Structures are given as structure tokens and as C-alpha cells.
Amino acid sequence: MASMFQKASNFLGDKDTKKQDEEGESLTTVLETAEQRGSLTILVSDITELMRKVLTDAFDPNETGAEEDQITILSHDSDEKPSVEKPGDSKRGEDTQKILEKQKNDLAKREKEVSEASMVALKGSALEFFDDWRDSVILRVGEVVNSRETAKNQSKKAKPDRTKSEDKPVLEGLETEEQDDLISSALLKLYPPVETALRNLAKEKRILVLHSILLLLLSLEHYNAHSRTLLLYLTTSLGLSVTVLSEDEKKVARGLLTAAEKMSADEETKKKAKENAKSRRWKMGVAGVAGAALIGITGGLAAPLLASGIGTVLGGIGLGATATAGYLGALAGSGVLVGSLFGAYGARMTSKAMEKYTRDVEDFAFVPIPKPGESESDAHRLRVAIGISGWLGEKEDVVKPWRCISPFQDTFALRFELEALMKLGNALTSLVTSAAWSYAKKEIIKRTVLAALTAGLWPLALVKASHLIDNPWTVANQRAQKAGEVLADALINKAQGERPVTLIGYSLGAKVIYVCLQQLAERKAFGLIENVVLLGAPTPCNTSNWRRIRSVVTGRVVNAYSTKDYALAFLYRGSNIQFGVAGLNPVLNVKGVENVDVGDLVKGHTLYRHATAPILQRIGFEDIDVQEISHEEEKLAEQEKKEEEQRKAAEQDANQANESGKQDAGDEEAHRMEQEVAQKNKSN
């Protein structure tokens, strides 16, 4: 990567004809003609127009998402075996009429839904926030490469034209591996390239353009989720790999923090900064952001010094220190702003608010996941990822599943209600390895999981043992609701600083995310969330709630479900399933929600723990540590094998009990499970 950026530095023209003074390179020298500079502002305008359409599509009743999802839900809706006989003309006509009638009724429901006052208000607020952001971006880019007035005029003519080439676009960057190809394919589909003449520039120049826009976006004194999504569109449109963007973000983060550290005031000021940082530090554990001690809570820091620091770190990319300082704007002159960007001052929450949170949710904390070989100050990034485990086999499971997230993000695990999640994990693992569960699976597997859920077809032995799982599930489910509300509050109060957040969670961790996003929508908090991935979510599929989710997420909304997750179906058996269960079937009729059937990986709810990394790989998740994938795949296979062996052993014991003439074999196994769960809880 360093060599590629070095080339970007070396392309700077003939040294005999161009003197490399302190100005160095800038957008106006890289884009040599007015036409090229105009192409950049037009490209930015076109991309933001596409982004706006993605937002409006979420509220369009005629936009129904992927067609394959409709087919999937139809295939799982009924318990009837498909007829091998060819239907006659009259039968085909009746079926067609039924389908058309259903489509008409569904459309009417969606039209009514999006016309409700609350939905109209949400759409209006989301578009207002987006338009304000878009205007600030276009004007900022325009004033650097053209003029503010020119930028305004060009933005009004935005007509995005996606690349028409029949060949698959190639994204240039580092030497790629198989996972990089998966990521590129996913990003090209999600952020399709916009046609632009800038694609014909030398690769080194395109890298410099991307880097310059990143700095200009940071000059707005935030790096919100819309800004990050814009850069992803820009990356594919310029024909660059996302790794180029990720590496640049990493270098810029390090440069900003290093420069700010060098500009810290005298020792007395730094001492006071440390004291302030300590007093403001989150009781909930957000101390991982290096606090104000690193930055120095001082104002009026010398811009030239900061620019020099950034220039030193980013010198290999080719921009001069003066251009760097100019593009960063006020950020280049204030350690306070740099600290705010990285969340150095926590969420600026009062002690009273802290008391309320810790009263509502026990053990609520953001646990930083360290990056091997990097110091605390070097480990910070321009983006944040938060992983949330939904049940625990051991306390370390709070953190372990999220080590698969690559070091391109500041990664945290959300810890909450340890005792409740441990009890749930103990009950779950005992349930799915019991003889009663083995019998239940054999019965349910004859029909679809949703049909079994609807009919309430659960064996008596399993129902007798149900209290073992129902109680811890109910408690943990309620705590997850509270944790989601607290998480939303923390994000709104900028615990993460001014950086985009990616949320990933399985089981009740996905429930926490679902609740959090509903809260963000209700409070009109936009631009905070870049991506969300919900795995085996015990939440409804009703379209109104998922439209709200889509409105507060600028990037990907992924619902990973398994039609073979009988444990989730059993846990949900007492709930209202009118709208379906997101962890069991796709979310329909909301444009922008990606549904992924992971039934081949997840044949039971307890397998999500080790299936997380393989699922992220499958969806082309941008930030995945490839080395962790094979490790988690091995663990997943081991867990599946172990559970199957335990079920067979339990089944053999139950058969022997039945053969010996015991009439209460089911009660005996329920008692055995109760003892097993009690022992596990005691050992915790």
C-alpha cells in the first residue's frame, strides 16, 4: 500500500518544469483543466442525488425490494406439498387472479402505511437533514475547485448516469485476495459506479482526488454516515478498491491524532487535560478513545503546526501541507475539534444521566477490542463498529465474536446485563442438547418452521421443560429492550464522537440494535449509523418498523435469517407472529433491506456465536479480518458436532428410561435439565 501511495507522490510532474514548493499538490493542480474540476463537482452532485433516491425509495410503496425474497417467503408460507400435476387453464387463471388480488391489497396497505402522519413526518425530517448535509458538501467542494456559485448551478443539473459497460467494473488498488473480490462485488452492487470522465485519470491522480474529498468532508467538523457513503460511491466511481479508502482513513486518523498530540500545550495544561478527561470519562466504559489527555483540552492551537503534522504523516500521498491545512479548515486549528471528532470527551453526559442508565441496565459498557501491535494512540480510526452478543456461554463471549472485525475500524463490544445473558446461554445450550429437543426437531422438520410455529406443534416433553428457557428468555429480552434505548441515547449524545457507526449483533444483540434504531428514528437522529447487520433477530418483520430503520441507516441494512432456527421459533411461540419473525424469514416490501438466508450455516440459534464471521464474509462485509474466518469456521463445525453428540447421548438415555418402563421419562428429563442449568448458573 505504501508503494502505491508513494507512486501517487512521485507522479507530481516534471521536477525540471514544476518547482515543489511548500504549496505541494492540490486539487487544482491534479485536475489541470476547468473541465476536469467541473467533472468532480458534477460527480459529487450526481452521487448525492443517487443517495437521496435511496432514501426516498424506503418510503415508496411501489418499491418492494428483492424479488427473490418474495419467492422465499411464498415457499415457506405453506405446509402443502407442491403438486406434480400440471394445472389446467382454469386453475392457472384462478391462481393468477389470486396473486393479482393479493398484490393489489398489499399495495393498498403500503400506501396507507407511508401516508400516515408519523411516516410522512419521518420522511420529511430525514430529507431535510440530508439536503442540509448535501448542500454543505457541494458548496465546500465547489469553493475549492471552482466557486460556490458554480457548484450551486452544477448541483441543480445532477443527472446521475451509472456505468454502462457490459463488462464488470474493475476496482484498482492493492493485490486482492478472494475476500477482497467478494467485498468488491458487494460494493459494486450497493454503490454502483457513476459515469465520470475522471475515471480516465491515472490511478495516482484518482487516489489524490479521493483523499482530498475525505479531507474536505472532515472540514465540516464531522465525518457522519452520509459522508462515508458518499466516499464509497466516489471510490467505485473512480475505479478504486475500498481498501484504498480504508487505508487512507487509517492514515488520516493517525495523522490528526499525532499532530494534535505534538501541539499539546505545556505540561500544566496537559495535566489539567488529564484531570478533566478522567472526570468526564464514561462510567459505562467509553474510556477507550484516548480521552482528552491525548489531544489536550486547549483552544487556539497553531494551524501551521497541525498542518505540518498531517503533511508529515500524509506526505506520501502527495498533498502539500498548505493544501492539507486548507482542506481541513477549522479542524486544522483546533485540538478541541480533533478531540470532538474522535469522541475524546465522551458523551458529555451528566452524572445524573449516568445514574439513570446504570439503574436501568446493569453492566452497560463499551469494551474496546485491542488491535495487535498497535498502541492506544495509533489504534484510533475514523469509523466505529459495535458488536453485541445476544447470549453468553462464557463471559469472554462479550468480546470474542467481534475480533473478526478488521482493524480499519475502532471496534467495541457492548456489554450489558451479564448475569441475565449468561443464564440465557446456559438454558439455551441445555435445551438444544436434550432428548426432548432431538424429538422436537424430528417432528418439526417434517414441515416448515413457520408452519410449526403457527400450529403450536411442540412435543409434550419439550413443553414440560419450557419453563427452563422461558424465564431467562423473558428477563433477557426485557433487558435487551432497555439496553437498546440506552444505546440510542449514547449515540445521540456522541459517545462515538463525530464518526459513523456500524452495529452488528446476533440473537438478543440484534434486538438491542433493532430497538436502538427505532429510538433513533423516533428522535429524528440521522447521519449516525452507517451499516447494521442483524443475525437471528427476535424481532417482528412489519414493514413500518423496517422503513424507520432504513431511514436512519445510510449504508447497508442486512437481515440474516435461518428457516432452520427451531430454537428461535420455540422461544417466539407465545408471541404475536402476525408480522413474522426477522430471524426466521425475510423482511419484505422495504427497498434497501438485504435478506440473507443462512440456514446452511445456522441450523440452530446457538450456532450464531461462531457463524458470525462466516456470515459477514458471505455478505461481502467490508471490514472483516480474513484470518479470523477460518478459525471461526472450525469452531462452528466443532460446536455443531458437539451438540449433535450430546443430543444423541441424551436420546439414548431417554430410550433406555422408556424401555425400563418408566412412565414419567419426560418429567425425569425435565428434572435433569433443570439440575444441569442450575449447576451451570452456579459455576458462573
Side-chain angles (χ1 to χ4, degrees):
M1 190 70 191
S3 62
M4 181 173 66
F5 283 132
Q6 190 59 49
K7 288 179 182 177
S9 179
N10 293 339
F11 95 97
L12 300 177
D14 189 342
K15 290 183 180 180
D16 293 333
T17 60
K18 183 186 289 187
K19 182 181 178 181
Q20 296 297 312
D21 58 16
E22 63 179 9
E23 287 289 332
E25 287 297 315
S26 66
L27 278 176
T28 53
T29 59
V30 172
L31 304 176
E32 299 174 352
T33 67
E35 183 179 0
Q36 288 180 334
R37 293 191 288 273
S39 293
L40 178 57
T41 53
I42 290 172
L43 176 58
V44 172
S45 298
D46 286 346
I47 289 173
T48 54
E49 189 62 28
L50 271 182
M51 292 171 63
R52 196 179 196 277
K53 186 177 187 309
V54 170
L55 182 54
T56 57
D57 282 349
F59 296 93
D60 188 343
N62 295 299
E63 294 287 350
T64 56
E67 188 175 337
E68 55 265 29
D69 293 338
Q70 306 281 349
I71 297 171
T72 299
I73 197 68
L74 286 173
S75 67
H76 292 295
D77 251 355
S78 173
D79 226 15
E80 296 180 9
K81 301 288 184 184
S83 175
V84 295
E85 297 181 6
K86 277 182 120 180
D89 290 341
S90 60
K91 182 68 167 63
R92 280 198 301 268
E94 290 175 8
D95 291 344
T96 302
Q97 187 61 37
K98 287 180 180 178
I99 292 172
L100 291 174
E101 191 66 29
K102 185 178 185 304
Q103 290 176 343
K104 182 180 178 181
N105 292 336
D106 288 346
L107 177 60
K109 289 179 182 177
R110 294 195 299 273
E111 288 174 339
K112 181 180 179 182
E113 175 187 297
V114 298
S115 63
E116 291 176 356
S118 60
M119 199 66 72
V120 172
L122 177 63
K123 178 182 178 181
S125 297
L127 289 175
E128 182 181 4
F129 180 92
F130 178 85
D131 289 342
D132 288 344
W133 166 83
R134 178 178 63 174
D135 290 346
S136 65
V137 169
I138 291 173
L139 292 177
R140 182 72 180 108
V141 174
E143 69 183 4
V144 170
V145 298
N146 292 304
S147 69
R148 294 173 70 92
E149 196 59 38
T150 302
K152 281 183 182 179
N153 294 332
Q154 288 175 335
S155 67
K156 294 175 182 176
K157 301 174 183 177
K159 292 182 179 179
D161 186 11
R162 298 180 184 180
T163 302
K164 295 186 176 64
S165 173
E166 295 181 3
D167 298 326
K168 180 182 175 182
V170 177
L171 302 183
E172 298 179 273
L174 297 171
E175 294 181 6
T176 60
E177 300 177 355
E178 182 180 352
Q179 178 61 20
D180 295 319
D181 292 336
L182 282 172
I183 293 171
S184 293
S185 296
L187 291 180
L188 284 169
K189 181 179 179 181
L190 293 160
Y191 310 103
V194 175
E195 193 72 43
T196 176
L198 299 180
R199 183 71 178 262
N200 299 322
L201 292 174
K203 180 175 69 176
E204 293 80 7
K205 287 191 175 186
R206 284 180 273 139
I207 292 171
L208 283 170
V209 169
L210 181 65
H211 171 64
S212 299
I213 297 300
L214 170 58
L215 298 186
L216 290 173
L217 290 172
L218 289 173
S219 76
L220 301 176
E221 300 176 17
H222 59 69
Y223 187 44
N224 73 19
H226 287 310
S227 295
R228 218 289 164 149
T229 301
L230 167 61
L231 284 177
L232 285 171
Y233 273 108
L234 186 61
T235 300
T236 60
S237 299
L238 293 175
L240 298 172
S241 164
V242 70
T243 313
V244 175
L245 173 59
S246 297
E247 286 284 359
D248 196 19
E249 289 173 321
K250 178 180 175 181
K251 286 176 178 289
V252 169
R254 183 173 298 178
L256 285 170
L257 291 165
T258 301
E261 185 179 23
K262 287 179 180 178
M263 290 187 306
S264 294
D266 56 37
E267 289 301 313
E268 184 63 25
T269 304
K270 285 193 284 186
K271 181 180 178 181
K272 290 180 180 178
K274 289 180 181 178
E275 292 171 354
N276 287 338
K278 185 176 181 181
S279 66
R280 298 182 188 206
R281 187 165 292 164
W282 268 40
K283 181 181 179 181
M284 301 189 302
V286 189
V289 203
L294 173 67
I295 305 298
I297 307 179
T298 58
L301 299 178
L305 289 177
L306 179 58
S308 175
I310 297 295
T312 301
V313 175
L314 303 176
I317 301 179
L319 283 180
T322 305
T324 301
Y327 293 170
L328 285 172
L331 196 67
S334 173
V336 174
L337 291 179
V338 174
S340 180
L341 176 68
F342 288 94
Y345 313 116
R348 303 192 182 110
M349 300 171 74
T350 65
S351 58
K352 186 176 181 180
M354 290 289 100
E355 291 171 5
K356 182 187 73 172
Y357 284 172
T358 52
R359 184 175 67 246
D360 288 345
V361 181
E362 292 184 7
D363 307 312
F364 191 96
F366 293 110
V367 182
I369 298 179
K371 301 176 179 64
E374 289 191 320
S375 66
E376 186 181 8
S377 60
D378 287 340
H380 299 303
R381 302 291 184 262
L382 286 176
R383 295 182 293 134
V384 175
I386 301 173
I388 312 175
S389 303
W391 57 267
L392 304 174
E394 55 183 12
K395 291 181 180 178
E396 289 75 13
D397 283 344
V398 169
V399 170
K400 282 183 177 180
W402 314 113
R403 290 175 180 165
C404 66
I405 300 175
S406 80
F408 286 133
Q409 296 215 52
D410 240 348
T411 305
F412 296 85
L414 177 61
R415 186 181 72 214
F416 74 101
E417 297 288 354
L418 278 179
E419 184 180 353
L421 293 184
M422 286 293 296
K423 286 183 177 180
L424 174 59
N426 293 336
L428 263 176
T429 52
S430 293
L431 176 73
V432 301
T433 55
S434 66
W437 188 251
S438 183
Y439 296 140
K441 283 191 69 175
K442 289 177 182 177
E443 179 62 31
I444 299 168
I445 207 167
K446 298 174 184 177
R447 56 187 71 226
T448 69
V449 66
L450 287 178
L453 181 57
T454 304
L457 300 173
W458 303 104
L460 182 59
L462 188 61
V463 174
K464 285 183 177 181
S466 62
H467 69 281
L468 294 175
I469 187 67
D470 287 345
N471 292 340
W473 172 258
T474 299
V475 171
N477 196 13
Q478 292 172 346
R479 305 290 169 80
Q481 174 78 29
K482 284 287 186 183
E485 295 169 2
V486 172
L487 177 59
D489 229 16
L491 295 176
I492 289 172
N493 285 290
K494 303 297 177 70
Q496 73 284 7
E498 297 288 349
R499 299 176 292 172
V501 177
T502 289
L503 299 172
I504 312 170
Y506 65 82
S507 186
L508 287 179
K511 170 70 175 286
V512 172
I513 295 171
Y514 177 89
V515 173
C516 170
L517 297 174
Q518 297 298 323
Q519 288 288 309
L520 294 182
E522 184 177 333
R523 296 168 68 175
K524 309 294 191 296
F526 307 108
L528 300 176
I529 309 299
E530 181 186 356
N531 302 304
V532 296
V533 182
L534 287 80
L535 312 171
T539 64
C541 289
N542 55 316
T543 57
S544 60
N545 283 350
W546 286 83
R547 287 190 204 282
R548 294 186 181 96
I549 288 175
R550 183 66 261 186
S551 74
V552 294
V553 181
T554 67
R556 304 182 68 174
V557 176
V558 180
N559 173 47
Y561 66 95
S562 171
T563 57
K564 300 175 183 177
D565 190 351
Y566 303 111
L568 179 57
F570 184 69
L571 291 167
Y572 229 86
R573 72 192 185 284
S575 304
N576 185 352
I577 62 166
Q578 177 185 356
F579 299 110
V581 185
L584 298 176
N585 49 258
V587 174
L588 300 179
N589 300 323
V590 181
K591 185 71 178 291
V593 175
E594 302 173 56
N595 292 291
V596 184
D597 188 348
V598 296
D600 59 319
L601 287 173
V602 179
K603 298 180 177 66
H605 203 64
T606 54
L607 298 180
Y608 274 111
R609 157 66 181 86
H610 291 296
T612 295
I615 291 172
L616 292 177
Q617 179 190 36
R618 174 175 295 185
I619 67 174
F621 184 67
E622 179 189 342
D623 299 288
I624 186 80
D625 189 334
V626 178
Q627 294 180 348
E628 282 289 322
I629 295 173
S630 57
H631 172 73
E632 289 299 300
E633 286 175 336
E634 290 175 7
K635 289 290 186 181
L636 177 62
E638 290 174 8
Q639 182 186 355
E640 193 169 2
K641 181 180 178 182
K642 182 180 178 181
E643 286 185 1
E644 188 59 36
E645 290 173 349
Q646 289 175 324
R647 276 192 292 269
K648 286 182 179 179
E651 195 172 345
Q652 288 176 355
D653 291 343
N655 288 337
Q656 290 175 1
N658 288 330
E659 289 171 2
S660 65
K662 291 185 177 181
Q663 299 296 317
D664 57 350
D667 291 333
E668 184 175 308
E669 190 190 19
H671 179 64
R672 181 196 63 77
M673 290 169 61
E674 191 170 343
Q675 289 182 318
E676 180 182 311
V677 172
Q679 183 60 38
K680 287 180 180 178
N681 290 339
K682 187 177 179 181
S683 64
N684 291 337

